[in-house]
Amino acid sequence: MSITRDEVIHVAKLARLKFTDEELEKYSHQLDNIIKYVDKLNELNTDDVEPTAHIVPISNVFREDEVVPSMDREKVLMNAKEKEDGCFKVPKIIE
């Protein structure tokens, strides 16, 4: 299976991306190589391979949430370039 230039254009359009002719050629080639590699992997016999989500058998590794004292606000803001009302003051984002 290989991917065509028209398919790359279609996917780019769905993703709201615009590519130059050179980029379309480059990405068509790269995506085609990726698809060929995945097809090659599909040739492997995985009948005796158990599906895994992680290479190491682990269970919940998340720590319990614990309430701990926060840092002192003045210490946190000590090196702030600008601060206002106990918060960092940053420039307004203009689009």
Side-chain angles (χ1 to χ4, degrees):
M1 177 182 189
S2 65
I3 191 164
T4 66
R5 180 183 170 98
D6 289 338
E7 289 171 322
V8 174
I9 291 170
H10 176 71
V11 171
K13 183 178 177 183
L14 293 174
R16 305 282 195 263
L17 298 173
K18 291 184 181 180
F19 294 131
T20 64
D21 287 339
E22 294 83 25
E23 289 172 325
L24 283 172
E25 199 63 40
K26 175 183 171 183
Y27 296 137
S28 296
H29 180 70
Q30 288 179 351
L31 289 170
D32 191 51
N33 285 339
I34 292 168
I35 290 171
K36 285 179 183 174
Y37 183 75
V38 171
D39 280 344
K40 188 76 173 166
L41 290 175
N42 284 333
E43 294 175 11
L44 294 173
N45 181 357
T46 58
D47 292 340
D48 296 328
V49 178
E50 188 175 329
T52 60
H54 196 279
I55 60 170
V56 179
I58 57 175
S59 59
N60 190 0
V61 294
F62 298 112
R63 64 172 172 75
E64 293 295 322
D65 286 337
E66 296 177 21
V67 177
V68 295
S70 297
M71 290 181 67
D72 178 63
R73 185 177 298 229
E74 288 304 314
K75 188 174 182 179
V76 170
L77 295 171
M78 186 170 49
N79 292 319
K81 186 174 181 179
E82 292 185 54
K83 50 190 167 186
E84 184 176 290
D85 298 326
C87 299
F88 290 97
K89 184 175 180 182
V90 296
K92 184 178 181 178
I93 298 174
I94 301 172
E95 289 187 34

